[in-house]
Amino acid sequence: MAEEKEKSTEKAKKLADPVKASIDPATQQMIARAQALGVETVFDRAEAMKPCNIGIQGTCCKNCAMGPCRLPLSKGVEEGKDDRKGLCGATPNTVAARNFARMVAAGAAAHSDHGRSVAEVFISAARKETNDYKIKDETKLRAVAPALGVATTVEVDGKMVDRDIDEIALEYGEKAMEEWGKPEGTLEYLKRAPKPLYEKWVKNGVLPRNIDREIVEIMHRTHMGVDQDYKNIVKQCTRAALADGWGGSMLATDMQDILFGTPSPLQSEANIGIMKQDHVNVIVHGHEPVLSEMIVAAAQSQEMIDYAKSKGAKGIQLGGICCTANEILQRHGVPPAGNFLQQELVIVTGACDAMVVDIQCVFQNLANVAKCFHTKLITTHPIARMEQENVIHIEFNEHHAMEDAKRILRIAIDNFQNRSAEVMIPMQKATQIAGFGVESILYHLGGTFRGSYYTLNDNIINGRIRGGAGVVGCNNARSQHNNECITLIKELIKNDVIVLTTGCNAIACATHGLLTPETAAVYCGPGLAEVCETVGIPPVLHLGSCVDNSRILLALTEMVNAGGLGNDICDLPAAGSAPEWMSEKAISIGHYFVSSGVYTVFGGVLQTTGAPVFQNYLFKEMEKIYGGMWDMYTDPIQHAHAIIAHIDKKRKALGIDKARERVLMDMADRQKLEA
Ligand code: MSK
């Protein structure tokens, strides 16, 4: 009887429609396969459980045990009578601002704690306590060291000569580490921003003092009965978010580049189809490149290849999910097997011999999916373990990094012969060019001799390129997988807006073929297509992982420094966007972009709608302070046109709107001539 009841409940379970769930055929195929095998995925769970109607408005306060106090919008509020309060009297503005601030804190903490782990490995490498990591990019170290006040030259016999690289590395690593907790002063990297922006931060008193302090202070201020002025709470959000973008994330990116190499453009592939039936498939997932760098090196070693062959495999195929994927893609060309929403699906192929996870964006349900197949799920980070019994924990340590990596690979190889289900790997995979960065854009668009972004600016001034957009972030199971990202970006490039991308959005772009130079002729407006074809770049440039959003801040700064487009980031015809955002890190990223002067549009829903006054402060008032503001559009085409309208507004303010009219007229004239 009980069994029958269970069966009928099972039957009643709502399943996702694979075609409505994703625009990617490989994803659709794997969702259908999971359903056929009775394996539950996030797509089905999104059907079964809808978001909380009050939480989504940002007006549920659970910061003390008198609540949770629920303050949803009601008819009265719409009529102008807003007397909503929590038991303590907290207004919807206070509640929503506190919830927003805690998202900023969590996001800034995640990026910055990642950065701190990199700093620890960096210092070990500089002290030569490990043989597995070395300073790889001395040029980058010499370039960024002065930003932390570290001298790169020294006087010998009255002459300035280059200082010893090991000395620079150690001092740089130690100074970097101080940024997390120094008792006095403010973050050093803030001075890399354009001067007018830095001065705005000074004037408004928002220079972060140290990374940890700003995050802790958000937790204090949002405790019951502390900060009850939403504007003051937002000010603290700005400090913490800047400590992320111009602090923890930027330091992480720089130290990763110095340790593992600064990316430069390379060719690779993307999507689940990169997995190989006759190879040992190892999927790395999470955010930290520290372990995955070692796994890449170990997988290329003859010892491991021979071991895989001894077990009947033809070799080892590495692939990635989320930002660990982006890290090893941009430095080694290892292909991503998918983005955030595809993490369960690579296991559903039946060909994933091991999935190795570190931190952030890892579904706990991976353990349940792995149990349905032969996949070994291996956690590697002390702060990110799973309760399920089938999960193996191998704690990674930089002092025996290569040993750990080989141990993990042996587990995967030994598991190759245990495949239990029929292997079904979708055919779909796309070619991509990835590995762009501030330095390589300088080379491609700025020219080696000129050494600045002037050529890029020139193309914006003459109207071939209308402007730029940083389109970044996650997938969200509340919208069709990859659809918002791809629809939005196609609309932008069609309108001559060049796109810089990172994170899972970049993987979506790769999957749907937008990261090749050939894309330009197919999807771009005439001006952008001409530039891309001349220079040989894709119209969408992959700049790396979540922490690498700091590269976008620096690229914008380079554009300001190159001249001709105003004096500050907020003068540029540029915008930010996260069409399928889901994580708290996205809120921190959004807020540091806004506080750096960027108009930043989020797709889906921001959890601020229940407090219209607070939302209006983010969406309108912030522009008066920093030049950037938040916005939100559910429809990707409207989203794209809000960005385009903003870019056009900035072009007009710069007096370069006429140049674009001329370009369009030239084009029309040309078409008339051709006709
Ligand atoms: S992994 S934070 S889902 S981009 Fe950086 Fe992707 Fe968003 Fe995680």
Side-chain angles (χ1 to χ4, degrees):
M1 200 55 191
E3 223 172 76
E4 261 174 38
K5 201 174 164 199
E6 211 172 278
K7 268 188 195 158
S8 70
T9 326
E10 281 292 316
K11 255 192 204 163
K13 255 191 191 172
K14 258 184 131 185
L15 296 179
D17 173 346
V19 177
K20 284 193 187 145
S22 174
I23 57 167
D24 167 41
T27 302
Q28 294 166 358
Q29 189 188 340
M30 286 299 102
I31 296 171
R33 180 179 206 217
Q35 290 171 347
L37 295 175
V39 178
E40 182 199 85
T41 67
V42 63
F43 299 96
D44 298 330
R45 291 191 291 280
E47 286 298 319
M49 185 169 61
K50 294 298 167 197
C52 163
N53 185 38
I54 304 166
I56 204 169
Q57 296 181 30
T59 47
C60 172
C61 182
K62 53 182 182 58
N63 294 12
C64 88
M66 296 195 292
C69 292
R70 292 154 298 151
L71 313 179
L73 285 173
S74 62
K75 206 159 165 258
V77 178
E78 279 148 27
E79 285 162 0
K81 285 179 271 153
D82 195 351
D83 56 0
R84 295 173 291 161
K85 322 185 176 65
L87 259 65
C88 68
T91 64
N93 293 329
T94 301
V95 171
R98 280 177 182 161
N99 288 336
F100 183 85
R102 286 190 169 205
M103 292 182 90
V104 171
H111 284 145
S112 299
D113 210 34
H114 163 179
R116 189 200 322 264
S117 305
V118 180
E120 282 166 359
V121 175
F122 191 98
I123 291 172
S124 281
R127 288 186 185 145
K128 308 221 183 298
E129 292 167 355
T130 162
N131 292 325
D132 296 333
Y133 301 98
K134 303 217 160 22
I135 303 302
K136 206 168 188 177
D137 191 341
E138 295 183 6
T139 309
K140 176 126 190 183
L141 175 57
R142 287 188 189 278
V144 298
L148 284 187
V150 178
T152 55
T153 52
V154 64
E155 197 178 326
V156 178
D157 299 333
K159 278 190 198 153
M160 294 309 284
V161 296
D162 279 350
R163 198 175 161 205
D164 178 65
I165 200 73
D166 292 334
E167 262 181 51
I168 300 174
L170 186 56
E171 193 182 334
Y172 174 84
E174 288 174 349
K175 283 244 168 94
M177 189 59 104
E178 282 171 15
E179 295 296 89
W180 271 266
K182 63 188 181 187
E184 283 172 0
T186 54
L187 294 190
E188 299 294 336
Y189 267 14
L190 298 165
K191 296 201 187 90
R192 296 173 86 175
K195 206 160 173 254
L197 176 58
Y198 183 81
E199 280 162 5
K200 269 179 216 158
W201 294 335
V202 173
K203 187 177 146 210
N204 287 288
V206 293
L207 293 180
R209 294 153 289 186
N210 69 53
I211 298 164
D212 287 348
R213 179 170 183 173
E214 305 308 353
I215 295 164
V216 168
E217 194 170 303
I218 283 191
M219 299 313 287
H220 180 188
R221 282 181 190 231
T222 57
H223 182 276
M224 193 270 150
V226 186
D227 205 344
Q228 293 160 61
D229 172 0
Y230 64 92
K231 293 183 190 171
N232 209 35
I233 295 172
V234 172
K235 202 169 186 181
Q236 185 54 25
C237 291
T238 297
R239 288 191 194 98
L242 293 177
D244 174 357
W246 296 88
S249 282
M250 201 173 275
L251 286 162
T253 294
D254 280 349
M255 286 186 283
Q256 287 171 180
D257 283 356
I258 296 165
L259 276 181
F260 309 131
T262 302
S264 59
L266 43 69
Q267 186 172 322
S268 184
E269 295 177 320
N271 211 351
I272 310 177
I274 63 100
M275 296 173 77
K276 291 183 181 148
Q277 172 143 12
D278 52 11
H279 281 55
V280 175
N281 290 293
V282 181
I283 302 293
V284 292
H285 172 21
H287 281 78
E288 285 208 3
V290 173
L291 168 64
S292 52
E293 277 286 323
M294 282 303 118
I295 292 190
V296 173
Q300 288 166 352
S301 72
Q302 201 53 48
E303 178 195 349
M304 286 295 120
I305 294 169
D306 289 346
Y307 189 55
K309 286 183 177 164
S310 77
K311 299 286 174 176
K314 286 208 169 131
I316 302 166
Q317 176 64 43
L318 283 186
I321 294 282
C322 283
C323 284
T324 297
N326 286 323
E327 297 287 2
I328 55 175
L329 163 71
Q330 64 182 342
R331 298 194 178 88
H332 303 285
V334 173
N339 55 9
F340 177 65
L341 285 183
Q342 292 171 291
Q343 57 186 283
E344 292 162 307
L345 304 180
V346 292
I347 299 178
V348 174
T349 59
C352 178
D353 301 302
M355 181 177 272
V356 187
V357 301
D358 49 72
I359 48 162
Q360 301 167 23
C361 303
V362 175
F363 287 170
Q364 185 162 1
N365 197 57
L366 285 176
N368 302 328
V369 180
K371 213 188 286 178
C372 301
F373 298 87
H374 77 300
T375 306
K376 300 282 185 202
L377 181 61
I378 303 168
T379 54
T380 55
H381 204 289
I383 69 160
R385 298 188 65 158
M386 286 187 186
E387 68 186 33
Q388 286 99 323
E389 278 171 8
N390 61 320
V391 180
I392 303 167
H393 185 70
I394 298 181
E395 202 147 299
F396 172 73
N397 184 313
E398 74 263 24
H399 298 292
H400 38 78
M402 183 50 90
E403 226 175 275
D404 292 339
K406 286 186 175 169
R407 189 172 155 211
I408 287 167
L409 281 182
R410 272 193 207 97
I411 291 175
I413 294 166
D414 289 338
N415 201 27
F416 176 71
Q417 289 168 338
N418 297 333
R419 290 183 184 176
S420 49
E422 189 195 334
V423 168
M424 188 194 280
I425 300 173
M427 302 283 289
Q428 288 82 6
K429 59 178 175 177
T431 302
Q432 64 167 320
I433 307 293
F436 287 90
V438 180
E439 297 83 355
S440 57
I441 295 176
L442 187 75
Y443 171 72
H444 280 282
L445 283 169
T448 36
F449 298 113
R450 211 185 292 263
S452 86
Y453 272 47
Y454 190 76
T455 311
L456 172 61
N457 287 13
D458 199 30
N459 275 306
I460 293 175
I461 294 164
N462 69 29
R464 280 192 194 92
I465 298 178
R466 189 180 206 139
V471 186
V472 307
C474 327
N475 306 128
N476 188 323
R478 299 296 175 198
S479 58
Q480 192 182 25
H481 169 242
N482 286 355
N483 180 47
E484 321 294 313
C485 298
I486 300 303
T487 308
L488 168 83
I489 291 177
K490 282 186 178 167
E491 192 65 15
L492 290 175
I493 59 178
K494 186 173 107 189
N495 285 282
D496 294 319
V497 176
I498 191 166
V499 172
L500 308 181
T501 183
T502 63
C504 288
N505 190 85
I507 300 174
C509 291
T511 300
H512 296 276
L514 297 183
L515 300 189
T516 63
E518 295 74 34
T519 312
V522 184
Y523 295 113
C524 291
L528 180 59
E530 190 186 329
V531 175
C532 291
E533 280 161 22
T534 310
V535 183
I537 53 163
V540 183
L541 303 177
H542 187 331
L543 265 72
S545 65
C546 293
V547 292
D548 294 333
N549 284 311
S550 59
R551 296 192 203 274
I552 300 180
L553 293 176
L554 292 174
L556 295 171
T557 303
E558 290 286 347
M559 286 170 72
V560 172
N561 294 343
L565 291 175
N567 299 317
D568 197 351
I569 288 178
C570 65
D571 297 330
L572 297 171
S577 162
E580 295 181 30
W581 78 280
M582 65 83 206
S583 99
E584 291 163 317
K585 289 182 288 173
I587 297 293
S588 179
I589 294 166
H591 203 71
Y592 71 63
F593 270 100
V594 168
S595 304
S596 300
V598 181
Y599 171 59
T600 303
V601 190
F602 270 38
V605 184
L606 276 168
Q607 293 169 1
T608 53
T609 54
V613 175
F614 164 64
Q615 182 171 283
N616 186 59
Y617 186 72
L618 296 178
F619 283 32
K620 292 211 168 72
E621 300 298 311
M622 279 198 78
E623 190 183 22
K624 295 177 193 150
I625 310 172
Y626 304 106
M629 72 280 204
W630 285 87
D631 208 345
M632 172 175 75
Y633 282 92
T634 307
D635 178 78
I637 297 289
Q638 284 179 7
H639 185 146
H641 282 280
I643 289 174
I644 293 164
H646 176 81
I647 286 173
D648 286 350
K649 183 177 95 180
K650 293 293 171 182
R651 292 187 67 87
K652 194 163 184 205
L654 289 165
I656 56 171
D657 48 330
K658 298 283 178 291
R660 199 168 153 73
E661 282 169 21
R662 270 201 308 279
V663 167
L664 291 176
M665 215 185 293
D666 289 344
M667 198 51 210
D669 286 348
R670 231 183 297 157
Q671 278 166 351
K672 261 190 231 155
L673 281 176
E674 279 165 14

